[in-house]
C-alpha cells in the first residue's frame, strides 16, 4: 500500500469514488498533467508542453519554481466583510452582508456570501470572493460523490468542516492560500455544529463565531448576550445588533444583509433586507468633542 | 471460492446493537501457533477471514488504510457500507484482468456506524451481501443450518447472548470435537463498545456455563456438507 496515500488524500482537492485520483486545480497558465506515478504524489509538478513555446522548467528542488511565484495568491482582490454565526434552540443562524469590496471601493452590492452545502450544512465566507467560489466548486464535487454512493450515509457538517480544514491547511503549506475565513454550520441527527476555518488552516468550534471585523466588534456582544436555548426571534435580534455595530463601524460593510438558518429539517437562506440606521447621534456629529488633543 | 470453502470456519451474527464474529482456530501442526483469522480494522470495524490468509492480510491492510484516511480527512469513522463497496470493487478488478488472480479469501466484515450494526460477506468474485447471520469456510453448512433456525430473534439480542449463540454455531462446525476456548476466537463490536477480541478466559467460562445448563441443541444436521476437508497449510 502506498505510504503516500494518506497525505495525498489530504493534498488532493478532488476525490474520485473511493479512489486516489489526484487531479490538481490551480489557476495558472501552464498545462497541467495528471501524474499517476506513486513517487510523485507528494509533489505537484507543472510541466509546460511544447505548445506554449516555453521549455520545461522544474527548479532544482522540484517544489517551488520561481516562475510559479507570480501564480500564487499574494493578496486578495474582491473581498467580503464579516460573517456571524450563532447557535440557537432549533439550530444555527448565519448572517452576513452582501457587499464585495474592491480595495476601498464598494464594487459589488449583491454578493451572496452564504451558501447551502448538501442537506445539512451552510457555508459562509469572508475574504476573497473568487476563492470562495472555488471552495464551493470543491464542495460541490465532494457532495456529488457522496450522493453517488447512494447509500444511507451522508456527509454531515463535522465532516465538511474537517475536509475544509485539510484543504485550507494544505494550501497554506504550499504558500498558495485560499484567502478566506470560512464559517461552517450544520445540524445532523440533532447535533449542532458551528465552526470556523481560517486561511491558515486554524479551525475551531464554538456556540457563536464571527470572522473579520466581527471578531473585534461582534464577539463582545455575542459573549455578553448568548444563552443556551435562544428562540429564533431572540437569536435574530442579537445578530441584528451585531450587524448594526458592524454597519456603523466597519467601512467595508453595507446596509444589505442576509440571514440563513439551518435546522434538522434543512437549510434556508432568507432574501436580503436592510436595517434602519440612525446617524443623528451627537457623538457621530461631533466625535472629537471631548477628545484631548495635543494642540 | 474453493479456497474459501476449504479454510476453517468463520461465522458472524448481528443484532441491532452488536455484531459478533467467531472463528475456528486451525493449527498446521501440533507444534505451531494458530493462524490469525480475526483482524481489527478500526475501532468500529473488524473482519474475520476464511481462505488464503495471506490474501486476507493484504486486504486487511488495504481496509485499515481506507479507514484511517477517511478518519484523517473527515474526522469521522468510515461508514461500513462504503468500505465494503471499495473492497468489492478491488476484488472485481482481479476478476477482469488476465494477468491477475482473484483474492482467495472470503471476508466477514462487521461494523458499527451511524446507520446501525452491519455484517457483510465479501466474496472473491467481488460480490457482497449484508447478512443477519452467516457462516463461511469448511463445515460451515452445519453452522448455517443452526443459524437459519435462530436468526429471526437476533435483532433484540444483547452482546452476551450473541456470543453464546456464536459459540453454539462454532460447536456445530466442530462436529464432535471438544469446544474449548483454545479452539476458537470470538470478537465483538457494538454500541459503546469498540471492536475487540473477547478474552480467552471469558470464553472458557461461557463454554462451561453452556455445558452446565445442558442446553440441548438439536443434533439434526442435514449432513449435506458442501465443503470438503483436507486444507493445506496455506489456508485456514
Amino acid at each position: 500500500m502506498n505510504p503516500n496515500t494518506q497525505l495525498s488524500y489530504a493534498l488532493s482537492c478532488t476525490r474520485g469514488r473511493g479512489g486516489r485520483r489526484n487531479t490538481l486545480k490551480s489557476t495558472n497558465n501552464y498545462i497541467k498533467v495528471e501524474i499517476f506515478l506513486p513517487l510523485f504524489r507528494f509533489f505537484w509538478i507543472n510541466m509546460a508542453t511544447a505548445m506554449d513555446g516555453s521549455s520545461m522548467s522544474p527548479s532544482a528542488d522540484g517544489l517551488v519554481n520561481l516562475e510559479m511565484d507570480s501564480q500564487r495568491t499574494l493578496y486578495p482582490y474582491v473581498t467580503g466583510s464579516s460573517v456571524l454565526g450563532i447557535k440557537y434552540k432549533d439550530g444555527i443562524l448565519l448572517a452576513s452582508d452582501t457587499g464585495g469590496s474592491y480595495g476601498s471601493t464598494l464594487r459589488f452590492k449583491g454578493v451572496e456570501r452564504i451558501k447551502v452545502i448538501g442537506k445539512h450544512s451552510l457555508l459562509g465566507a469572508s475574504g476573497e470572493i473568487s476563492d470562495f467560489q472555488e471552495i464551493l466548486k470543491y464542495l460541490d464535487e465532494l457532495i456529488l460523490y457522496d450522493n453517488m454512493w447512494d447509500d444511507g450515509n451522508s456527509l454531515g457538517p463535522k465532516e465538511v468542516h474537517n475536509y475544509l480544514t485539510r484543504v485550507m491547511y494544505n494550501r497554506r503549506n504550499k504558500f498558495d492560500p485560499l484567502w478566506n475565513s470560512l464559517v461552517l454550520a450544520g445540524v445532523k441527527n440533532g447535533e449542532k455544529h458551528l465552526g470556523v476555518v481560517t486561511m491558515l488552516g486554524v479551525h475551531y468550534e464554538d456556540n457563536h463565531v464571527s470572522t473579520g471585523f466581527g471578531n473585534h466588534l461582534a464577539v463582545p456582544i455575542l459573549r455578553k448576550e448568548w444563552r443556551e436555548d435562544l428562540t429564533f426571534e431572540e437569536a435574530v435580534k442579537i445578530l441584528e445588533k451585531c450587524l448594526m455595530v458592524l454597519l456603523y463601524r466597519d467601512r467595508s460593510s453595507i446596509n444589505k444583509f442576509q440571514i440563513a438558518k439551518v435546522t434538522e429539517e434543512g437549510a434556508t437562506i432568507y432574501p436580503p433586507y436592510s436595517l434602519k440606521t440612525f446617524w443623528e447621534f451627537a457623538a457621530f456629529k461631533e466625535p472629537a468633542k471631548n477628545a484631548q488633543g495635543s494642540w | 471460492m474453493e479456497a474459501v470453502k476449504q479454510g476453517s470456519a468463520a461465522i458472524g451474527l448481528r443484532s441491532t446493537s452488536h455484531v459478533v464474529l467467531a472463528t475456528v482456530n486451525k493449527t498446521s501442526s501440533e507444534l505451531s501457533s494458530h493462524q490469525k483469522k480475526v483482524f481489527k480494522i478500526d475501532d468500529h470495524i473488524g473482519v474475520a477471514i476464511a481462505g488464503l490468509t495471506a490474501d486476507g492480510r493484504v486486504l486487511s491492510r488495504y481496509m485499515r488504510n481506507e479507514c484511517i484516511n477517511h478518519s484523517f480527512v473527515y474526522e469521522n469513522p468510515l461508514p461500513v457500507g462504503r468500505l465494503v463497496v471499495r473492497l468489492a470493487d478491488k476484488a472485481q478488478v482481479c476478476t477482469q484482468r488476465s494477468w491477475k488472480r482473484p483474492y482467495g479469501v472470503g471476508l466477514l466484515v462487521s461494523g458499527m456506524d451511524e446507520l446501525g450494526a452491519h455484517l457483510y460477506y465479501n466474496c472473491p468474485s467481488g460480490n457482497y451481501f449484508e447478512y443477519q447471520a452467516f457462516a463461511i469456510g469448511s463445515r460451515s453448512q452445519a453452522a448455517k443450518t443452526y443459524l437459519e433456525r435462530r436468526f429471526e430473534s437476533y435483532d433484540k439480542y444483547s452482546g452476551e447472548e450473541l456470543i453464546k449463540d456464536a459459540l453454539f454455531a462454532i460447536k456445530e462446525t466442530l462436529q464432535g470435537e471438544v469446544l474449548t476456548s483454545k479452539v476458537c476466537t470470538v470478537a465483538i463490536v457494538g454500541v459503546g463498545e469498540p471492536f475487540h477480541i473477547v478474552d480467552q478466559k471469558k470464553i472458557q467460562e461461557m463454554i462451561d456455563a453452556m455445558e452446565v445448563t445442558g442446553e440441548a441443541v438439536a443434533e439434526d444436521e442435514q449432513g449435506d456438507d458442501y465443503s470438503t476437508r483436507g486444507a493445506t497449510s496455506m489456508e485456514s
Side-chain angles (χ1 to χ4, degrees):
Chain A
M1 195 63 228
N2 195 320
N4 296 339
T5 308
Q6 178 172 334
L7 193 51
S8 68
Y9 255 72
L11 276 179
S12 66
C13 295
T14 67
R15 283 155 49 74
R17 186 191 128 121
R20 275 160 291 294
R21 226 169 20 123
N22 265 335
T23 39
L24 308 156
K25 306 230 163 152
S26 78
T27 54
N28 72 38
N29 298 321
Y30 292 103
I31 295 171
K32 286 149 286 296
V33 174
E34 197 178 310
I35 298 183
F36 245 84
L37 304 170
L39 289 172
F40 290 102
R41 278 188 189 174
F42 263 116
F43 308 119
W44 103 358
I45 301 177
N46 287 318
M47 303 212 293
T49 68
M51 267 196 263
D52 63 3
S54 47
S55 51
M56 288 259 285
S57 50
S59 68
D61 62 0
L63 263 177
V64 177
N65 186 348
L66 282 181
E67 263 142 57
M68 275 170 65
D69 266 19
S70 59
Q71 310 293 344
R72 296 201 245 129
T73 306
L74 296 170
Y75 5 77
Y77 287 94
V78 180
T79 54
S81 173
S82 356
V83 177
L84 308 169
I86 186 173
K87 278 191 194 169
Y88 72 104
K89 188 168 65 152
D90 306 321
I92 308 181
L93 286 179
L94 289 188
S96 76
D97 67 15
T98 62
S101 313
Y102 187 59
S104 52
T105 314
L106 255 174
R107 176 78 179 78
F108 303 103
K109 298 200 182 168
V111 181
E112 255 198 44
R113 292 194 290 115
I114 303 180
K115 294 285 183 188
V116 181
I117 309 289
K119 278 188 288 198
H120 306 277
S121 323
L122 283 175
L123 177 68
S126 66
E128 175 63 56
I129 300 294
S130 64
D131 283 346
F132 178 49
Q133 291 169 343
E134 187 79 355
I135 290 172
L136 289 176
K137 259 181 49 204
Y138 290 155
L139 286 179
D140 211 24
E141 190 175 350
L142 184 74
I143 300 289
L144 180 71
Y145 281 120
D146 187 47
N147 290 338
M148 268 167 58
W149 282 101
D150 202 20
D151 53 13
N153 297 297
S154 57
L155 288 174
K158 183 168 187 217
E159 284 107 324
V160 179
H161 184 200
N162 223 65
Y163 174 77
L164 286 173
T165 309
R166 291 293 114 231
V167 170
M168 301 297 270
Y169 182 66
N170 278 282
R171 287 291 295 256
R172 162 256 170 135
N173 283 343
K174 293 184 209 159
F175 285 92
D176 186 12
L178 290 161
W179 208 285
N180 292 108
S181 281
L182 304 165
V183 176
L184 203 295
V187 186
K188 192 174 176 210
N189 295 338
E191 269 181 55
K192 298 181 269 212
H193 178 101
L194 177 59
V196 171
V197 188
T198 68
M199 67 186 259
L200 296 179
V202 175
H203 62 286
Y204 54 91
E205 288 173 56
D206 205 345
N207 292 321
H208 46 78
V209 296
S210 59
T211 66
F213 255 93
N215 271 319
H216 302 107
L217 300 172
V219 164
I221 302 177
L222 290 169
R223 280 183 184 164
K224 189 151 164 233
E225 310 221 347
W226 188 85
R227 296 183 333 262
E228 198 74 55
D229 289 335
L230 290 164
T231 65
F232 179 73
E233 288 77 22
E234 285 173 338
V236 172
K237 246 171 129 203
I238 297 179
L239 279 182
E240 282 185 351
K241 193 168 176 185
C242 298
L243 288 170
M244 280 291 267
V245 173
L246 285 169
L247 177 59
Y248 282 129
R249 297 291 175 176
D250 179 9
R251 177 179 79 171
S252 48
S253 65
I254 59 170
N255 195 359
K256 190 176 169 198
F257 307 103
Q258 267 197 312
I259 294 205
K261 159 180 98 154
V262 65
T263 60
E264 186 71 49
E265 285 90 47
T268 356
I269 304 184
Y270 293 103
Y273 68 104
S274 301
L275 292 172
K276 201 152 179 297
T277 55
F278 180 70
W279 295 97
E280 305 303 310
F281 289 114
F284 285 177
K285 289 187 159 166
E286 270 193 84
K289 185 172 178 194
N290 293 319
Q292 200 179 30
S294 56
W295 59 82
Chain B
M1 250 71 84
E2 268 310 306
V4 179
K5 288 192 202 144
Q6 293 189 15
S8 61
I11 60 159
L13 308 86
R14 163 190 97 170
S15 75
T16 45
S17 61
H18 289 81
V19 194
V20 168
L21 292 174
T23 62
V24 171
N25 297 340
K26 196 181 72 99
T27 52
S28 53
S29 81
E30 287 266 321
L31 302 166
S32 76
S33 64
H34 64 84
Q35 286 272 19
K36 187 167 172 192
K37 281 165 64 80
V38 179
F39 298 90
K40 176 171 171 174
I41 303 298
D42 200 350
D43 283 334
H44 66 298
I45 300 182
V47 299
I49 63 170
L52 300 171
T53 19
D55 286 359
R57 221 175 44 238
V58 163
L59 287 179
S60 299
R61 189 160 55 232
Y62 170 74
M63 287 195 276
R64 284 172 178 162
N65 237 336
E66 294 294 295
C67 278
I68 209 170
N69 274 333
H70 193 273
S71 289
F72 176 70
V73 179
Y74 298 103
E75 233 188 83
N76 246 11
L78 176 61
V80 193
R82 296 197 179 182
L83 176 64
V84 165
V85 174
R86 292 187 200 180
L87 202 51
D89 286 348
K90 194 165 155 78
Q92 190 276 342
V93 169
C94 300
T95 63
Q96 215 175 357
R97 311 268 185 255
S98 59
W99 62 89
K100 285 181 177 249
R101 66 157 178 85
Y103 288 105
V105 62
L107 297 132
L108 277 173
V109 183
S110 69
M112 291 293 305
D113 62 21
E114 261 179 16
L115 298 177
H118 300 276
L119 174 70
Y120 290 93
Y121 171 54
N122 276 67
C123 290
S125 61
N127 273 337
Y128 67 95
F129 296 99
E130 186 159 8
Y131 287 94
Q132 185 80 39
F134 199 51
I136 56 177
S138 72
R139 294 183 277 190
S140 59
Q141 188 52 45
K144 264 191 247 178
T145 321
Y146 172 79
L147 293 170
E148 267 167 31
R149 268 183 282 124
R150 314 257 309 187
F151 78 94
E152 256 142 11
S153 47
Y154 279 171
D155 258 344
K156 306 246 183 22
Y157 273 26
S158 70
E160 291 267 327
E161 291 168 329
L162 278 181
I163 297 181
K164 245 192 272 194
D165 252 52
L167 288 169
F168 266 118
I170 289 281
K171 204 160 161 204
E172 298 293 310
T173 63
L174 290 175
Q175 281 184 0
E177 286 166 37
V178 183
L179 175 66
T180 64
S181 64
K182 279 215 230 341
V183 173
C184 62
T185 312
V186 181
I188 186 169
V189 63
V191 174
E193 228 183 308
F195 183 86
H196 64 280
I197 295 183
V198 182
D199 193 40
Q200 268 223 329
K201 248 201 284 217
K202 185 146 183 268
I203 298 294
Q204 190 56 49
E205 283 169 15
M206 292 183 82
I207 294 176
D208 296 334
M210 268 161 53
E211 250 116 69
V212 165
T213 57
E215 290 177 22
V217 177
E219 302 286 305
D220 57 344
E221 295 124 18
Q222 297 312 308
D224 44 353
D225 199 351
Y226 298 128
S227 45
T228 59
R229 296 208 218 153
T232 66
S233 59
M234 260 204 308
E235 304 144 349
S236 84

